[in-house]
Amino acid sequence: MQTNQLFLIFCSVLLLLGFIAFFIARKKATFVRASGTAMFSQPDQYAWFAVVATAGPAIALSALGAFIMLLVGADIPTFPLLLASLALATVGLVVGMTLVRANFHARQAIERVIRWVLAGAATISILTTLGILISIIGEALNFFQMHSFWDFITGTTWAPGNSFLAAAGRGDGGGAEFGSVPLFAGTFMITAIAMAVAVPVGLLSAIYMGEYAPSRVRAVAKPMLEILAGIPTVVYGFFAAITVAPFIVRVAETVGVSASFNNALAPGIVMGIMIIPFISSLSDDVINAVPDSMRQGSLALGMTKGETIRDVVIPAALPGIISASLLGMSRALGETMIVVMAAGMRPNLTINPLEEMTTVTVRIVAAMTGDLEFESAETLSAFALGLVLFIVTLSLNLVSVIMIRRFREKYRVNNL
């Protein structure tokens, strides 16, 4: 019998046992309560505890077996594992029925289980992050054994194909160069352009919708603005490459400036348009969360509505606005498709946004989708780039946390 069929049978039997546990436990608790015995919990709470006692251990055992097979590589037969899980569910059903009695706190037991489940979910998130980091570090260290870490973070030339050109007699005899400065310069350049577009537009639109817009306008404008977040990035890439980039070239020609059709300005502008909904929607929610009593108090002291927004509402909502802006920045740092279609893939260290350049994520995709062996330096360079980008993003998040705490403490001190 195939694994999918075994898993379907396991789920069906476990679901049946859960239904049996629920109805029997509720019927038993209702009978005990009807006899005049005072019980610490409601019949439905005893029923749900019986379900948890039945399905919880079975799911935990099967998940543990799957995790061991995935992580350690051990070969655990599927049928005995699922059979043992069902046997454990049967034992849990009997135990759950036994605990349906007057002196048992079913509600507290369910709450303890919920706390453990929530703690497990948080632990899984943390362990997933650590697993990603460990896997990146392992392969990045293999790359740094081939090439110098210092040359990687300070080099100004990214040319992993030089070694192949030299072997073919077409190069200058130099080896592959993995200087990441042009890649990170392009990443920060395009991200800065995107944030210069998204933050003012997003924040101002949030202020309008939260403080000035009538309810009818807000009911229409906010959903329409959030539609931008659902547009696929490839569509934004087409828009940047076909519409925005040629427009920038024509504007540059009218003022006598040379511009490439693959430039950093076009994807930066379009990327900023893409992340406007993130900043606008979150900032709008934060602004609306500011108590109206603060606005009324400010107006009662003689401040205008604009002064109230500037000196009261924005400072109160500033931690949330910073968080929204950093979320948009993280989105911009990880964008790939728009850059590929509008900015190109050539590493170019320049401060001119009208020239072609590329980003870290584009080179990661290029390195991982090539025809080279996984152990080659060019493929492993993707992990090195990912590690440095992870450190940069983590540093930005730490700085944002410090800024948010300082603004929040300052605001609290000023309002004591």
Side-chain angles (χ1 to χ4, degrees):
M1 188 177 295
Q2 297 181 355
T3 303
N4 294 337
Q5 296 176 342
L6 289 175
F7 183 73
L8 181 60
I9 295 174
F10 168 76
C11 293
S12 302
V13 174
L14 189 62
L15 185 62
L16 178 61
L17 291 176
F19 274 111
I20 294 173
F22 182 86
F23 288 108
I24 294 179
R26 187 172 65 174
K27 185 176 181 180
K28 182 179 179 181
T30 303
F31 177 78
V32 173
R33 188 176 184 181
S35 64
T37 304
M39 304 185 73
F40 289 109
S41 303
Q42 299 294 327
D44 284 346
Q45 293 172 342
Y46 285 102
W48 283 113
F49 172 77
V51 173
V52 172
T54 301
I59 295 175
L61 179 60
S62 57
L64 179 62
F67 181 76
I68 291 175
M69 287 189 290
L70 179 63
L71 186 64
V72 182
D75 187 12
I76 301 177
T78 304
F79 181 75
L81 176 62
L82 298 180
L83 186 62
S85 300
L86 292 177
L88 188 60
T90 305
V91 174
L93 174 61
V94 176
V95 173
M97 295 300 103
T98 305
L99 292 176
V100 180
R101 54 178 184 265
N103 60 348
F104 179 70
H105 294 268
R107 178 174 59 84
Q108 295 180 2
I110 293 176
E111 290 179 352
R112 285 195 296 269
V113 172
I114 292 175
R115 285 197 297 268
W116 279 103
V117 170
L118 295 177
T123 303
I124 289 175
S125 302
I126 296 173
L127 292 178
T128 302
T129 303
L130 291 177
I132 294 173
L133 181 60
I134 291 173
S135 62
I136 292 176
I137 290 177
E139 301 300 337
L141 291 178
N142 292 333
F143 171 78
F144 290 131
Q145 290 177 356
M146 303 177 183
H147 294 271
S148 169
F149 174 76
W150 180 254
D151 292 339
F152 176 78
I153 62 174
T154 61
T156 58
T157 302
W158 182 272
N162 278 355
S163 57
F164 302 101
L165 295 176
R170 296 165 53 191
D172 57 0
E177 297 184 64
F178 293 94
S180 62
V181 173
L183 304 182
F184 283 98
T187 301
F188 294 142
M189 170 79 73
I190 296 176
T191 301
I193 296 172
M195 296 306 294
V197 173
V199 172
V201 176
L203 181 57
L204 292 177
S205 62
I207 293 174
Y208 171 73
M209 288 188 295
E211 299 294 329
Y212 292 101
S215 57
R216 290 184 179 180
V217 176
R218 175 182 170 85
V220 176
K222 188 171 183 179
M224 291 185 64
L225 184 62
E226 291 176 349
I227 289 176
L228 293 174
I231 298 176
T233 56
V234 66
V235 176
Y236 281 112
F238 277 123
F239 177 66
I242 298 176
T243 303
V244 179
F247 176 76
I248 292 174
V249 172
R250 288 194 298 268
V251 172
E253 289 177 350
T254 58
V255 296
V257 178
S258 176
S260 172
F261 280 94
N262 290 330
N263 57 75
L265 187 58
I269 293 174
V270 175
M271 199 181 299
I273 296 173
M274 181 187 66
I275 63 179
I276 283 175
F278 295 93
I279 299 176
S280 176
S281 181
L282 293 176
S283 299
D284 177 51
D285 294 336
V286 173
I287 290 174
N288 286 324
V290 177
D292 286 335
S293 58
M294 299 178 62
R295 297 180 177 86
Q296 299 300 327
S298 174
L299 295 173
L301 292 174
M303 299 178 68
T304 64
K305 190 174 182 63
E307 292 172 340
T308 300
I309 295 173
R310 184 191 62 192
D311 298 330
V312 177
V313 177
I314 297 301
L318 193 57
I321 294 173
I322 294 175
S323 299
S325 301
L326 290 171
L327 176 62
M329 181 182 295
S330 300
R331 183 71 177 84
L333 286 172
E335 179 54 40
T336 304
M337 185 58 66
I338 298 176
V339 180
V340 170
M341 300 180 68
M345 301 181 64
R346 185 172 70 90
N348 183 23
L349 182 59
T350 178
I351 60 174
N352 185 2
L354 299 178
E355 294 184 9
E356 180 181 2
M357 55 179 63
T358 191
T359 62
V360 172
T361 54
V362 172
R363 294 310 307 176
I364 290 175
V365 172
M368 296 299 296
T369 56
D371 297 331
L372 300 175
E373 295 181 355
F374 183 82
E375 294 80 9
S376 64
E378 184 172 356
T379 302
L380 294 178
S381 67
F383 295 93
L385 291 172
L387 177 61
V388 177
L389 185 62
F390 179 87
I391 294 173
V392 171
T393 306
L394 179 62
S395 302
L396 290 175
N397 290 334
L398 292 177
V399 171
S400 67
V401 170
I402 295 173
M403 291 176 60
I404 290 172
R405 288 180 178 177
R406 287 185 177 179
F407 279 116
R408 183 178 292 125
E409 291 175 358
K410 179 181 178 181
Y411 173 72
R412 287 176 178 174
V413 170
N414 292 338
N415 285 274
L416 288 178

